[in-house]
PDB file of all heavy atoms in Angstrom:
ATOM      1  N   PHE A 930      36.778 -57.192 -55.560  1.00  0.00           N
ATOM      2  CA  PHE A 930      36.064 -58.281 -54.903  1.00  0.00           C
ATOM      3  C   PHE A 930      36.998 -59.479 -54.771  1.00  0.00           C
ATOM      4  O   PHE A 930      37.734 -59.794 -55.713  1.00  0.00           O
ATOM      5  CB  PHE A 930      34.837 -58.716 -55.716  1.00  0.00           C
ATOM      6  CG  PHE A 930      33.745 -57.681 -55.813  1.00  0.00           C
ATOM      7  CD1 PHE A 930      33.808 -56.669 -56.761  1.00  0.00           C
ATOM      8  CD2 PHE A 930      32.653 -57.713 -54.959  1.00  0.00           C
ATOM      9  CE1 PHE A 930      32.818 -55.706 -56.855  1.00  0.00           C
ATOM     10  CE2 PHE A 930      31.648 -56.757 -55.049  1.00  0.00           C
ATOM     11  CZ  PHE A 930      31.730 -55.748 -55.994  1.00  0.00           C
ATOM     12  N   VAL A 931      36.961 -60.141 -53.617  1.00  0.00           N
ATOM     13  CA  VAL A 931      37.654 -61.413 -53.426  1.00  0.00           C
ATOM     14  C   VAL A 931      36.666 -62.396 -52.802  1.00  0.00           C
ATOM     15  O   VAL A 931      35.689 -61.987 -52.166  1.00  0.00           O
ATOM     16  CB  VAL A 931      38.903 -61.275 -52.540  1.00  0.00           C
ATOM     17  CG1 VAL A 931      39.930 -60.351 -53.188  1.00  0.00           C
ATOM     18  CG2 VAL A 931      38.547 -60.778 -51.142  1.00  0.00           C
ATOM     19  N   ASP A 932      36.923 -63.676 -52.989  1.00  0.00           N
ATOM     20  CA  ASP A 932      36.000 -64.669 -52.438  1.00  0.00           C
ATOM     21  C   ASP A 932      36.512 -65.213 -51.110  1.00  0.00           C
ATOM     22  O   ASP A 932      37.609 -64.879 -50.646  1.00  0.00           O
ATOM     23  CB  ASP A 932      35.736 -65.791 -53.446  1.00  0.00           C
ATOM     24  CG  ASP A 932      36.995 -66.561 -53.841  1.00  0.00           C
ATOM     25  OD1 ASP A 932      37.997 -66.526 -53.104  1.00  0.00           O
ATOM     26  OD2 ASP A 932      36.952 -67.225 -54.906  1.00  0.00           O
ATOM     27  N   GLY A 933      35.698 -66.065 -50.506  1.00  0.00           N
ATOM     28  CA  GLY A 933      36.042 -66.597 -49.203  1.00  0.00           C
ATOM     29  C   GLY A 933      37.311 -67.419 -49.206  1.00  0.00           C
ATOM     30  O   GLY A 933      38.090 -67.389 -48.241  1.00  0.00           O
ATOM     31  N   ALA A 934      37.539 -68.170 -50.275  1.00  0.00           N
ATOM     32  CA  ALA A 934      38.758 -68.980 -50.355  1.00  0.00           C
ATOM     33  C   ALA A 934      39.991 -68.085 -50.392  1.00  0.00           C
ATOM     34  O   ALA A 934      41.022 -68.389 -49.769  1.00  0.00           O
ATOM     35  CB  ALA A 934      38.700 -69.875 -51.591  1.00  0.00           C
ATOM     36  N   TRP A 935      39.907 -66.978 -51.142  1.00  0.00           N
ATOM     37  CA  TRP A 935      41.036 -66.026 -51.191  1.00  0.00           C
ATOM     38  C   TRP A 935      41.320 -65.482 -49.795  1.00  0.00           C
ATOM     39  O   TRP A 935      42.470 -65.425 -49.352  1.00  0.00           O
ATOM     40  CB  TRP A 935      40.703 -64.887 -52.146  1.00  0.00           C
ATOM     41  CG  TRP A 935      41.855 -63.960 -52.447  1.00  0.00           C
ATOM     42  CD1 TRP A 935      42.654 -63.973 -53.543  1.00  0.00           C
ATOM     43  CD2 TRP A 935      42.311 -62.858 -51.637  1.00  0.00           C
ATOM     44  NE1 TRP A 935      43.596 -62.956 -53.475  1.00  0.00           N
ATOM     45  CE2 TRP A 935      43.402 -62.262 -52.305  1.00  0.00           C
ATOM     46  CE3 TRP A 935      41.907 -62.326 -50.405  1.00  0.00           C
ATOM     47  CZ2 TRP A 935      44.106 -61.171 -51.796  1.00  0.00           C
ATOM     48  CZ3 TRP A 935      42.609 -61.239 -49.885  1.00  0.00           C
ATOM     49  CH2 TRP A 935      43.687 -60.667 -50.579  1.00  0.00           C
ATOM     50  N   LEU A 936      40.259 -65.096 -49.096  1.00  0.00           N
ATOM     51  CA  LEU A 936      40.448 -64.542 -47.752  1.00  0.00           C
ATOM     52  C   LEU A 936      41.040 -65.585 -46.815  1.00  0.00           C
ATOM     53  O   LEU A 936      41.927 -65.279 -46.018  1.00  0.00           O
ATOM     54  CB  LEU A 936      39.123 -64.024 -47.208  1.00  0.00           C
ATOM     55  CG  LEU A 936      39.179 -63.461 -45.782  1.00  0.00           C
ATOM     56  CD1 LEU A 936      40.206 -62.335 -45.679  1.00  0.00           C
ATOM     57  CD2 LEU A 936      37.807 -62.972 -45.358  1.00  0.00           C
ATOM     58  N   GLN A 937      40.577 -66.800 -46.911  1.00  0.00           N
ATOM     59  CA  GLN A 937      41.107 -67.856 -46.044  1.00  0.00           C
ATOM     60  C   GLN A 937      42.604 -68.067 -46.294  1.00  0.00           C
ATOM     61  O   GLN A 937      43.382 -68.241 -45.352  1.00  0.00           O
ATOM     62  CB  GLN A 937      40.333 -69.150 -46.263  1.00  0.00           C
ATOM     63  CG  GLN A 937      40.535 -70.193 -45.175  1.00  0.00           C
ATOM     64  CD  GLN A 937      39.546 -71.329 -45.307  1.00  0.00           C
ATOM     65  OE1 GLN A 937      39.291 -71.824 -46.405  1.00  0.00           O
ATOM     66  NE2 GLN A 937      38.967 -71.761 -44.197  1.00  0.00           N
ATOM     67  N   ARG A 938      43.020 -68.002 -47.559  1.00  0.00           N
ATOM     68  CA  ARG A 938      44.442 -68.189 -47.881  1.00  0.00           C
ATOM     69  C   ARG A 938      45.299 -67.034 -47.373  1.00  0.00           C
ATOM     70  O   ARG A 938      46.452 -67.217 -47.008  1.00  0.00           O
ATOM     71  CB  ARG A 938      44.634 -68.310 -49.398  1.00  0.00           C
ATOM     72  CG  ARG A 938      44.110 -69.576 -50.020  1.00  0.00           C
ATOM     73  CD  ARG A 938      44.673 -69.782 -51.420  1.00  0.00           C
ATOM     74  NE  ARG A 938      44.457 -68.639 -52.297  1.00  0.00           N
ATOM     75  CZ  ARG A 938      43.374 -68.459 -53.049  1.00  0.00           C
ATOM     76  NH1 ARG A 938      42.390 -69.352 -52.990  1.00  0.00           N
ATOM     77  NH2 ARG A 938      43.257 -67.409 -53.835  1.00  0.00           N
ATOM     78  N   HIS A 939      44.736 -65.814 -47.384  1.00  0.00           N
ATOM     79  CA  HIS A 939      45.533 -64.630 -47.096  1.00  0.00           C
ATOM     80  C   HIS A 939      45.198 -63.975 -45.764  1.00  0.00           C
ATOM     81  O   HIS A 939      45.688 -62.882 -45.481  1.00  0.00           O
ATOM     82  CB  HIS A 939      45.327 -63.592 -48.211  1.00  0.00           C
ATOM     83  CG  HIS A 939      45.792 -64.035 -49.560  1.00  0.00           C
ATOM     84  ND1 HIS A 939      44.955 -64.652 -50.463  1.00  0.00           N
ATOM     85  CD2 HIS A 939      46.998 -63.964 -50.170  1.00  0.00           C
ATOM     86  CE1 HIS A 939      45.621 -64.920 -51.572  1.00  0.00           C
ATOM     87  NE2 HIS A 939      46.860 -64.515 -51.415  1.00  0.00           N
ATOM     88  N   ARG A 940      44.413 -64.634 -44.934  1.00  0.00           N
ATOM     89  CA  ARG A 940      43.890 -63.974 -43.746  1.00  0.00           C
ATOM     90  C   ARG A 940      44.984 -63.399 -42.852  1.00  0.00           C
ATOM     91  O   ARG A 940      44.828 -62.324 -42.277  1.00  0.00           O
ATOM     92  CB  ARG A 940      43.021 -64.945 -42.940  1.00  0.00           C
ATOM     93  CG  ARG A 940      42.290 -64.267 -41.795  1.00  0.00           C
ATOM     94  CD  ARG A 940      41.427 -65.217 -41.021  1.00  0.00           C
ATOM     95  NE  ARG A 940      42.216 -66.289 -40.406  1.00  0.00           N
ATOM     96  CZ  ARG A 940      41.731 -67.158 -39.534  1.00  0.00           C
ATOM     97  NH1 ARG A 940      40.452 -67.111 -39.210  1.00  0.00           N
ATOM     98  NH2 ARG A 940      42.481 -68.087 -39.017  1.00  0.00           N
ATOM     99  N   ASP A 941      46.115 -64.102 -42.748  1.00  0.00           N
ATOM    100  CA  ASP A 941      47.177 -63.619 -41.861  1.00  0.00           C
ATOM    101  C   ASP A 941      47.851 -62.353 -42.384  1.00  0.00           C
ATOM    102  O   ASP A 941      48.563 -61.680 -41.639  1.00  0.00           O
ATOM    103  CB  ASP A 941      48.235 -64.710 -41.657  1.00  0.00           C
ATOM    104  CG  ASP A 941      47.704 -65.884 -40.845  1.00  0.00           C
ATOM    105  OD1 ASP A 941      46.670 -65.711 -40.171  1.00  0.00           O
ATOM    106  OD2 ASP A 941      48.320 -66.961 -40.888  1.00  0.00           O
ATOM    107  N   GLY A 942      47.622 -62.018 -43.653  1.00  0.00           N
ATOM    108  CA  GLY A 942      48.274 -60.855 -44.229  1.00  0.00           C
ATOM    109  C   GLY A 942      47.352 -59.680 -44.480  1.00  0.00           C
ATOM    110  O   GLY A 942      47.777 -58.686 -45.080  1.00  0.00           O
ATOM    111  N   VAL A 943      46.098 -59.775 -44.036  1.00  0.00           N
ATOM    112  CA  VAL A 943      45.144 -58.684 -44.280  1.00  0.00           C
ATOM    113  C   VAL A 943      44.466 -58.286 -42.982  1.00  0.00           C
ATOM    114  O   VAL A 943      44.458 -59.040 -41.997  1.00  0.00           O
ATOM    115  CB  VAL A 943      44.056 -59.097 -45.315  1.00  0.00           C
ATOM    116  CG1 VAL A 943      44.688 -59.575 -46.607  1.00  0.00           C
ATOM    117  CG2 VAL A 943      43.127 -60.157 -44.738  1.00  0.00           C
ATOM    118  N   VAL A 944      43.904 -57.090 -42.990  1.00  0.00           N
ATOM    119  CA  VAL A 944      43.007 -56.664 -41.920  1.00  0.00           C
ATOM    120  C   VAL A 944      41.590 -56.951 -42.393  1.00  0.00           C
ATOM    121  O   VAL A 944      41.157 -56.452 -43.437  1.00  0.00           O
ATOM    122  CB  VAL A 944      43.160 -55.160 -41.616  1.00  0.00           C
ATOM    123  CG1 VAL A 944      42.160 -54.746 -40.534  1.00  0.00           C
ATOM    124  CG2 VAL A 944      44.583 -54.836 -41.182  1.00  0.00           C
ATOM    125  N   VAL A 945      40.885 -57.787 -41.656  1.00  0.00           N
ATOM    126  CA  VAL A 945      39.505 -58.114 -41.988  1.00  0.00           C
ATOM    127  C   VAL A 945      38.599 -57.141 -41.238  1.00  0.00           C
ATOM    128  O   VAL A 945      38.733 -56.966 -40.020  1.00  0.00           O
ATOM    129  CB  VAL A 945      39.163 -59.568 -41.612  1.00  0.00           C
ATOM    130  CG1 VAL A 945      37.741 -59.910 -42.069  1.00  0.00           C
ATOM    131  CG2 VAL A 945      40.162 -60.538 -42.229  1.00  0.00           C
ATOM    132  N   ALA A 946      37.706 -56.489 -41.971  1.00  0.00           N
ATOM    133  CA  ALA A 946      36.888 -55.421 -41.397  1.00  0.00           C
ATOM    134  C   ALA A 946      35.412 -55.761 -41.499  1.00  0.00           C
ATOM    135  O   ALA A 946      34.891 -55.979 -42.600  1.00  0.00           O
ATOM    136  CB  ALA A 946      37.173 -54.101 -42.111  1.00  0.00           C
ATOM    137  N   ASP A 947      34.746 -55.817 -40.374  1.00  0.00           N
ATOM    138  CA  ASP A 947      33.299 -56.038 -40.307  1.00  0.00           C
ATOM    139  C   ASP A 947      32.633 -54.675 -40.327  1.00  0.00           C
ATOM    140  O   ASP A 947      32.770 -53.887 -39.389  1.00  0.00           O
ATOM    141  CB  ASP A 947      32.966 -56.798 -39.020  1.00  0.00           C
ATOM    142  CG  ASP A 947      31.510 -57.208 -38.917  1.00  0.00           C
ATOM    143  OD1 ASP A 947      30.637 -56.364 -39.179  1.00  0.00           O
ATOM    144  OD2 ASP A 947      31.240 -58.365 -38.545  1.00  0.00           O
ATOM    145  N   ALA A 948      31.919 -54.364 -41.403  1.00  0.00           N
ATOM    146  CA  ALA A 948      31.330 -53.032 -41.582  1.00  0.00           C
ATOM    147  C   ALA A 948      29.808 -53.087 -41.577  1.00  0.00           C
ATOM    148  O   ALA A 948      29.146 -52.307 -42.271  1.00  0.00           O
ATOM    149  CB  ALA A 948      31.838 -52.412 -42.876  1.00  0.00           C
ATOM    150  N   ARG A 949      29.230 -53.964 -40.785  1.00  0.00           N
ATOM    151  CA  ARG A 949      27.777 -54.048 -40.754  1.00  0.00           C
ATOM    152  C   ARG A 949      27.155 -52.775 -40.163  1.00  0.00           C
ATOM    153  O   ARG A 949      27.635 -52.225 -39.185  1.00  0.00           O
ATOM    154  CB  ARG A 949      27.339 -55.292 -39.969  1.00  0.00           C
ATOM    155  CG  ARG A 949      27.482 -56.552 -40.799  1.00  0.00           C
ATOM    156  CD  ARG A 949      27.086 -57.797 -40.036  1.00  0.00           C
ATOM    157  NE  ARG A 949      28.164 -58.279 -39.176  1.00  0.00           N
ATOM    158  CZ  ARG A 949      28.105 -59.398 -38.470  1.00  0.00           C
ATOM    159  NH1 ARG A 949      27.003 -60.156 -38.518  1.00  0.00           N
ATOM    160  NH2 ARG A 949      29.133 -59.784 -37.728  1.00  0.00           N
ATOM    161  N   TRP A 950      26.094 -52.339 -40.821  1.00  0.00           N
ATOM    162  CA  TRP A 950      25.378 -51.101 -40.462  1.00  0.00           C
ATOM    163  C   TRP A 950      23.989 -51.206 -41.066  1.00  0.00           C
ATOM    164  O   TRP A 950      23.815 -51.798 -42.131  1.00  0.00           O
ATOM    165  CB  TRP A 950      26.125 -49.894 -41.043  1.00  0.00           C
ATOM    166  CG  TRP A 950      25.509 -48.555 -40.818  1.00  0.00           C
ATOM    167  CD1 TRP A 950      25.697 -47.732 -39.742  1.00  0.00           C
ATOM    168  CD2 TRP A 950      24.624 -47.843 -41.705  1.00  0.00           C
ATOM    169  NE1 TRP A 950      24.986 -46.557 -39.907  1.00  0.00           N
ATOM    170  CE2 TRP A 950      24.327 -46.602 -41.107  1.00  0.00           C
ATOM    171  CE3 TRP A 950      24.070 -48.139 -42.957  1.00  0.00           C
ATOM    172  CZ2 TRP A 950      23.497 -45.662 -41.716  1.00  0.00           C
ATOM    173  CZ3 TRP A 950      23.245 -47.202 -43.550  1.00  0.00           C
ATOM    174  CH2 TRP A 950      22.961 -45.976 -42.931  1.00  0.00           C
ATOM    175  N   TYR A 951      22.999 -50.637 -40.376  1.00  0.00           N
ATOM    176  CA  TYR A 951      21.613 -50.817 -40.800  1.00  0.00           C
ATOM    177  C   TYR A 951      20.881 -49.480 -40.829  1.00  0.00           C
ATOM    178  O   TYR A 951      20.948 -48.697 -39.873  1.00  0.00           O
ATOM    179  CB  TYR A 951      20.903 -51.787 -39.852  1.00  0.00           C
ATOM    180  CG  TYR A 951      21.630 -53.111 -39.724  1.00  0.00           C
ATOM    181  CD1 TYR A 951      22.449 -53.355 -38.625  1.00  0.00           C
ATOM    182  CD2 TYR A 951      21.534 -54.072 -40.728  1.00  0.00           C
ATOM    183  CE1 TYR A 951      23.141 -54.558 -38.514  1.00  0.00           C
ATOM    184  CE2 TYR A 951      22.226 -55.269 -40.618  1.00  0.00           C
ATOM    185  CZ  TYR A 951      23.025 -55.505 -39.518  1.00  0.00           C
ATOM    186  OH  TYR A 951      23.729 -56.686 -39.424  1.00  0.00           O
ATOM    187  N   LEU A 952      20.185 -49.253 -41.931  1.00  0.00           N
ATOM    188  CA  LEU A 952      19.452 -48.003 -42.106  1.00  0.00           C
ATOM    189  C   LEU A 952      18.360 -47.838 -41.057  1.00  0.00           C
ATOM    190  O   LEU A 952      18.019 -46.715 -40.688  1.00  0.00           O
ATOM    191  CB  LEU A 952      18.842 -47.959 -43.514  1.00  0.00           C
ATOM    192  CG  LEU A 952      18.154 -46.667 -43.938  1.00  0.00           C
ATOM    193  CD1 LEU A 952      19.140 -45.499 -43.930  1.00  0.00           C
ATOM    194  CD2 LEU A 952      17.541 -46.822 -45.332  1.00  0.00           C
ATOM    195  N   ASP A 953      17.831 -48.953 -40.542  1.00  0.00           N
ATOM    196  CA  ASP A 953      16.743 -48.861 -39.557  1.00  0.00           C
ATOM    197  C   ASP A 953      17.246 -48.597 -38.142  1.00  0.00           C
ATOM    198  O   ASP A 953      16.462 -48.559 -37.194  1.00  0.00           O
ATOM    199  CB  ASP A 953      15.877 -50.119 -39.586  1.00  0.00           C
ATOM    200  CG  ASP A 953      16.619 -51.378 -39.128  1.00  0.00           C
ATOM    201  OD1 ASP A 953      17.795 -51.286 -38.729  1.00  0.00           O
ATOM    202  OD2 ASP A 953      16.010 -52.468 -39.183  1.00  0.00           O
ATOM    203  N   GLY A 954      18.550 -48.428 -37.991  1.00  0.00           N
ATOM    204  CA  GLY A 954      19.102 -48.122 -36.679  1.00  0.00           C
ATOM    205  C   GLY A 954      19.512 -49.324 -35.863  1.00  0.00           C
ATOM    206  O   GLY A 954      20.007 -49.177 -34.733  1.00  0.00           O
ATOM    207  N   SER A 955      19.312 -50.531 -36.382  1.00  0.00           N
ATOM    208  CA  SER A 955      19.773 -51.722 -35.677  1.00  0.00           C
ATOM    209  C   SER A 955      21.285 -51.641 -35.465  1.00  0.00           C
ATOM    210  O   SER A 955      22.000 -50.968 -36.214  1.00  0.00           O
ATOM    211  CB  SER A 955      19.427 -52.986 -36.470  1.00  0.00           C
ATOM    212  OG  SER A 955      18.030 -53.125 -36.614  1.00  0.00           O
ATOM    213  N   SER A 956      21.764 -52.340 -34.459  1.00  0.00           N
ATOM    214  CA  SER A 956      23.161 -52.214 -34.061  1.00  0.00           C
ATOM    215  C   SER A 956      24.091 -53.102 -34.881  1.00  0.00           C
ATOM    216  O   SER A 956      24.009 -54.329 -34.808  1.00  0.00           O
ATOM    217  CB  SER A 956      23.311 -52.571 -32.578  1.00  0.00           C
ATOM    218  OG  SER A 956      24.675 -52.617 -32.211  1.00  0.00           O
ATOM    219  N   GLY A 957      24.979 -52.471 -35.636  1.00  0.00           N
ATOM    220  CA  GLY A 957      26.018 -53.220 -36.315  1.00  0.00           C
ATOM    221  C   GLY A 957      26.971 -53.854 -35.327  1.00  0.00           C
ATOM    222  O   GLY A 957      27.430 -54.983 -35.519  1.00  0.00           O
ATOM    223  N   ARG A 958      27.261 -53.132 -34.250  1.00  0.00           N
ATOM    224  CA  ARG A 958      28.148 -53.684 -33.230  1.00  0.00           C
ATOM    225  C   ARG A 958      27.520 -54.909 -32.570  1.00  0.00           C
ATOM    226  O   ARG A 958      28.213 -55.887 -32.271  1.00  0.00           O
ATOM    227  CB  ARG A 958      28.444 -52.614 -32.165  1.00  0.00           C
ATOM    228  CG  ARG A 958      29.352 -53.113 -31.047  1.00  0.00           C
ATOM    229  CD  ARG A 958      30.762 -53.312 -31.540  1.00  0.00           C
ATOM    230  NE  ARG A 958      31.524 -54.238 -30.724  1.00  0.00           N
ATOM    231  CZ  ARG A 958      32.854 -54.149 -30.574  1.00  0.00           C
ATOM    232  NH1 ARG A 958      33.527 -53.177 -31.150  1.00  0.00           N
ATOM    233  NH2 ARG A 958      33.475 -55.036 -29.840  1.00  0.00           N
ATOM    234  N   GLY A 959      26.226 -54.873 -32.362  1.00  0.00           N
ATOM    235  CA  GLY A 959      25.550 -56.030 -31.792  1.00  0.00           C
ATOM    236  C   GLY A 959      25.649 -57.245 -32.699  1.00  0.00           C
ATOM    237  O   GLY A 959      25.852 -58.370 -32.223  1.00  0.00           O
ATOM    238  N   ALA A 960      25.504 -57.019 -34.016  1.00  0.00           N
ATOM    239  CA  ALA A 960      25.648 -58.116 -34.963  1.00  0.00           C
ATOM    240  C   ALA A 960      27.063 -58.676 -34.923  1.00  0.00           C
ATOM    241  O   ALA A 960      27.271 -59.896 -34.952  1.00  0.00           O
ATOM    242  CB  ALA A 960      25.294 -57.634 -36.372  1.00  0.00           C
ATOM    243  N   TYR A 961      28.042 -57.791 -34.844  1.00  0.00           N
ATOM    244  CA  TYR A 961      29.445 -58.212 -34.749  1.00  0.00           C
ATOM    245  C   TYR A 961      29.673 -59.057 -33.499  1.00  0.00           C
ATOM    246  O   TYR A 961      30.299 -60.123 -33.553  1.00  0.00           O
ATOM    247  CB  TYR A 961      30.326 -56.968 -34.731  1.00  0.00           C
ATOM    248  CG  TYR A 961      31.785 -57.220 -34.423  1.00  0.00           C
ATOM    249  CD1 TYR A 961      32.686 -57.555 -35.437  1.00  0.00           C
ATOM    250  CD2 TYR A 961      32.271 -57.090 -33.122  1.00  0.00           C
ATOM    251  CE1 TYR A 961      34.026 -57.766 -35.161  1.00  0.00           C
ATOM    252  CE2 TYR A 961      33.611 -57.295 -32.835  1.00  0.00           C
ATOM    253  CZ  TYR A 961      34.490 -57.635 -33.850  1.00  0.00           C
ATOM    254  OH  TYR A 961      35.815 -57.845 -33.572  1.00  0.00           O
ATOM    255  N   ASP A 962      29.164 -58.599 -32.375  1.00  0.00           N
ATOM    256  CA  ASP A 962      29.367 -59.320 -31.118  1.00  0.00           C
ATOM    257  C   ASP A 962      28.703 -60.689 -31.136  1.00  0.00           C
ATOM    258  O   ASP A 962      29.143 -61.610 -30.426  1.00  0.00           O
ATOM    259  CB  ASP A 962      28.821 -58.503 -29.946  1.00  0.00           C
ATOM    260  CG  ASP A 962      29.654 -57.258 -29.659  1.00  0.00           C
ATOM    261  OD1 ASP A 962      30.833 -57.218 -30.073  1.00  0.00           O
ATOM    262  OD2 ASP A 962      29.113 -56.315 -29.032  1.00  0.00           O
ATOM    263  N   SER A 963      27.661 -60.840 -31.941  1.00  0.00           N
ATOM    264  CA  SER A 963      26.950 -62.118 -32.021  1.00  0.00           C
ATOM    265  C   SER A 963      27.690 -63.140 -32.879  1.00  0.00           C
ATOM    266  O   SER A 963      27.350 -64.322 -32.860  1.00  0.00           O
ATOM    267  CB  SER A 963      25.540 -61.904 -32.576  1.00  0.00           C
ATOM    268  OG  SER A 963      24.771 -61.114 -31.695  1.00  0.00           O
ATOM    269  N   GLY A 964      28.675 -62.708 -33.631  1.00  0.00           N
ATOM    270  CA  GLY A 964      29.454 -63.618 -34.465  1.00  0.00           C
ATOM    271  C   GLY A 964      30.091 -62.892 -35.616  1.00  0.00           C
ATOM    272  O   GLY A 964      29.398 -62.219 -36.385  1.00  0.00           O
ATOM    273  N   HIS A 965      31.406 -63.001 -35.724  1.00  0.00           N
ATOM    274  CA  HIS A 965      32.148 -62.327 -36.790  1.00  0.00           C
ATOM    275  C   HIS A 965      33.263 -63.229 -37.287  1.00  0.00           C
ATOM    276  O   HIS A 965      33.611 -64.239 -36.639  1.00  0.00           O
ATOM    277  CB  HIS A 965      32.719 -60.995 -36.300  1.00  0.00           C
ATOM    278  CG  HIS A 965      33.564 -61.114 -35.054  1.00  0.00           C
ATOM    279  ND1 HIS A 965      34.873 -61.515 -35.063  1.00  0.00           N
ATOM    280  CD2 HIS A 965      33.255 -60.894 -33.750  1.00  0.00           C
ATOM    281  CE1 HIS A 965      35.359 -61.539 -33.844  1.00  0.00           C
ATOM    282  NE2 HIS A 965      34.387 -61.167 -33.013  1.00  0.00           N
ATOM    283  N   ILE A 966      33.803 -62.900 -38.432  1.00  0.00           N
ATOM    284  CA  ILE A 966      34.932 -63.661 -38.959  1.00  0.00           C
ATOM    285  C   ILE A 966      36.092 -63.524 -37.980  1.00  0.00           C
ATOM    286  O   ILE A 966      36.364 -62.431 -37.482  1.00  0.00           O
ATOM    287  CB  ILE A 966      35.309 -63.144 -40.359  1.00  0.00           C
ATOM    288  CG1 ILE A 966      34.184 -63.478 -41.357  1.00  0.00           C
ATOM    289  CG2 ILE A 966      36.628 -63.747 -40.837  1.00  0.00           C
ATOM    290  CD1 ILE A 966      34.400 -62.910 -42.737  1.00  0.00           C
TER     291      ILE A 966
END
């Protein structure tokens, strides 16, 4: 686990991955398109 401050410091050196997914079938891609890091 890392916190937001760690990610902000190291963002240029990591791949940030949005892995949103929903058991009810809602669209993770739609959530990503609505706003992501």
Side-chain angles (χ1 to χ4, degrees):
F930 294 83
V931 298
D932 61 20
W935 189 99
L936 178 57
Q937 196 169 44
R938 290 196 306 272
H939 297 92
R940 188 179 61 171
D941 291 342
V943 305
V944 178
V945 184
D947 186 313
R949 282 179 278 185
W950 178 88
Y951 305 100
L952 186 61
D953 66 3
S955 298
S956 173
R958 179 71 202 210
Y961 171 86
D962 290 339
S963 296
H965 54 81
I966 292 175

